Amino acid sequence: MNTMQGLKQYIAALEKHDWFYNYSDDHQAYMKGSSEKDTLRKLAMIYDHEFQIWDSIAPNQFKQGAY
């Protein structure tokens, strides 16, 4: 995968992520959200070192340093 494809996938994943998964009573929803968050963090280390894209998409309480 080239860098542009990866960046686009990272942005798409941020946009569809259930940021409030940790409030779910459904264990499967919680586990899915937790796994997605881990993947997003790994992708951020590749494409978004300063979390600028992350912060432009994430709700306020989940911006860099708060999540």
Side-chain angles (χ1 to χ4, degrees):
M1 163 177 5
N2 69 37
T3 302
M4 189 56 77
Q5 278 180 309
L7 181 59
K8 286 179 181 179
Q9 287 183 343
Y10 170 64
I11 292 168
L14 284 170
E15 291 174 340
K16 76 176 188 106
H17 180 59
D18 176 8
W19 294 96
F20 299 94
Y21 73 89
N22 53 333
Y23 297 108
S24 178
D25 291 333
D26 180 350
H27 183 69
Q28 285 184 323
Y30 176 85
M31 295 304 294
K32 180 179 182 236
S34 179
S35 176
E36 284 179 1
K37 181 199 73 173
D38 290 343
T39 299
L40 287 171
R41 282 215 165 275
K42 289 175 186 170
L43 291 171
M45 294 298 110
I46 298 168
Y47 301 110
D48 191 20
H49 295 265
E50 296 181 11
F51 290 83
Q52 290 177 342
I53 299 167
W54 180 296
D55 286 352
S56 73
I57 295 171
N60 285 338
Q61 64 265 45
F62 301 111
K63 294 194 183 301
Q64 177 190 355
Y67 193 48

